[in-house]
Amino acid sequence: MLFRKSAGETVTDAVLYGGLALISVTTVYPFIYLLVLSLNETTDAMRGGLTFFPRVFTLENYAYVFENPVLLRASYNSVLRTVLQTVISVFLSGMLAYVLSRKEFMLRRLFSFMLVLTMYVSGGLIPTYLLIKSLGLINSFWVYIIPSLVGAFHVFIMRTYFEQLPEGLVESAYIDGANDFRIYTSIIMPISLPVFATIALFISVNEWNSWFDNYLYNSRNPDLNVLQYELQKMIQIVEQQVNQDSGEEIQRTISPTTIKATLTIIVTIPILLVYPFLQKYFVKGMTLGAMKD
């Protein structure tokens, strides 16, 4: 027997689908506009009125960006930083979350309180800089990795997820003689891919977009600059060149507006390529990670 929707249900569905379509368009269109702007000739783009396709197609903006020799090194630093930080931080945060999820751990409340405290109280910029300096991390690649190895927010999401897992899995592993590290690596991690993928996405996006720590700690060493920092410097250089009399020729081929659009597309594409592989885990990981017994 076929189920027929009533007129009210049909109208409701139409409104919902229309609202979702509108939200999708308003979310996606800014990226489409930036892509069109980056592929359009600068002088023509200054006229405005661009919609879904470039009027005067050109790759001059991308050529100007990729002709910069420092971008390849900066891209390597950004990729290495993102991969290392994501892998190490997910593993260590999960390990701490597993320990805090064990009810037999006597200090779990104390450590949980200490983690919560870090989410609301910060030492400030100057004490943090002095700490980083005293650790010898200034002008070092490891300043991108070590200070943020474990995030309190990530730990609590993973801990809550682990608390939803069947207790019998851990108890049976104990009976078989496995220690906690073996249980974590061989049992907890394989069955917790949704929350691990969710946290990995959070960390990778944050690390890929980070530049302020580069400015604070490694700005004197160009070999350690990351892509975001170099792109920001490039925008400033373009603006200076355009404002000078000698920049008239440059202004006819590029402008700060088109360069900003080009750089936005360049730094967004890697995350857009990674997200589809983690999307199937994302919703499940966030949902279970936010549940309470």
Side-chain angles (χ1 to χ4, degrees):
M1 181 178 179
L2 297 178
F3 175 74
R4 294 184 178 181
K5 295 182 179 180
S6 64
E9 291 175 333
T10 302
V11 172
T12 301
D13 290 344
V15 172
L16 290 176
Y17 289 138
L20 291 174
L22 180 61
I23 294 175
S24 300
V25 170
T26 55
T27 303
V28 175
Y29 181 72
F31 295 99
I32 298 177
Y33 177 76
L34 290 175
L35 179 61
V36 171
L37 187 61
S38 68
L39 295 174
N40 200 88
E41 194 272 331
T42 298
T43 305
D44 181 75
M46 300 296 289
R47 294 165 45 202
L50 294 174
T51 54
F52 291 94
F53 301 97
R55 284 192 299 259
V56 183
F57 180 82
T58 182
L59 293 176
E60 291 180 351
N61 298 313
Y62 290 91
Y64 176 83
V65 172
F66 287 108
E67 284 175 357
N68 192 322
V70 303
L71 288 186
L72 182 60
R73 181 179 64 248
S75 299
Y76 171 79
N77 290 337
S78 289
V79 171
L80 182 62
R81 166 188 182 161
T82 301
V83 172
L84 284 179
Q85 180 74 324
T86 301
V87 173
I88 299 175
S89 183
V90 167
F91 182 80
L92 294 181
S93 297
M95 187 181 298
L96 177 58
Y98 170 71
V99 173
L100 296 180
S101 69
R102 305 307 304 159
K103 294 181 174 58
E104 62 268 20
F105 180 52
M106 298 178 59
L107 301 178
R108 63 194 299 261
R109 293 185 179 275
L110 175 62
F111 279 89
S112 297
F113 173 76
M114 293 171 62
L115 283 175
V116 170
L117 197 61
T118 64
M119 299 176 64
Y120 295 97
V121 180
S122 173
L125 184 60
I126 295 178
T128 301
Y129 182 87
L130 295 177
L131 175 61
I132 296 298
K133 184 178 180 180
S134 65
L135 293 175
L137 297 178
I138 301 296
N139 293 324
S140 169
F141 179 81
W142 292 104
V143 75
Y144 301 140
I145 308 298
I146 294 177
S148 54
L149 277 178
V150 176
F153 176 72
H154 304 151
V155 170
F156 287 125
I157 290 180
M158 301 175 83
R159 185 197 68 176
T160 307
Y161 185 95
F162 295 156
E163 289 175 347
Q164 316 302 318
L165 300 177
E167 184 65 23
L169 292 174
V170 177
E171 292 179 353
S172 61
Y174 279 138
I175 295 174
D176 291 337
N179 56 29
D180 286 301
F181 185 78
R182 179 65 182 274
I183 294 173
Y184 172 68
T185 57
S186 300
I187 298 178
I188 301 300
M189 292 184 65
I191 65 176
S192 303
L193 289 180
V195 73
F196 277 94
T198 301
I199 300 303
L201 182 62
F202 286 161
I203 296 174
S204 59
V205 171
N206 180 72
E207 293 301 316
W208 180 257
N209 292 327
S210 295
W211 63 271
F212 192 59
D213 49 2
N214 186 172
Y215 171 74
L216 287 178
Y217 309 124
N218 288 339
S219 58
R220 295 183 180 180
N221 190 345
D223 292 335
L224 297 177
N225 287 347
V226 296
L227 183 61
Q228 304 287 352
Y229 183 63
E230 289 291 351
L231 297 182
Q232 183 192 42
K233 289 168 56 179
M234 183 178 293
I235 292 176
Q236 296 175 351
I237 292 174
V238 171
E239 291 177 344
Q240 293 174 359
Q241 290 177 332
V242 170
N243 292 332
Q244 294 174 355
D245 294 336
S246 59
E248 294 179 357
E249 182 64 28
I250 295 178
Q251 191 172 10
R252 287 196 291 269
T253 57
I254 62 173
S255 72
T257 301
T258 55
I259 290 298
K260 289 178 182 178
T262 303
L263 298 179
T264 302
I265 295 298
I266 291 174
V267 300
T268 303
I269 287 178
I271 298 299
L272 293 179
L273 295 177
V274 172
Y275 182 75
F277 297 99
L278 302 177
Q279 183 180 14
K280 63 180 179 179
Y281 300 112
F282 185 77
V283 175
K284 185 177 179 181
M286 283 301 296
T287 301
L288 295 180
M291 292 174 58
K292 290 288 186 181
D293 287 334

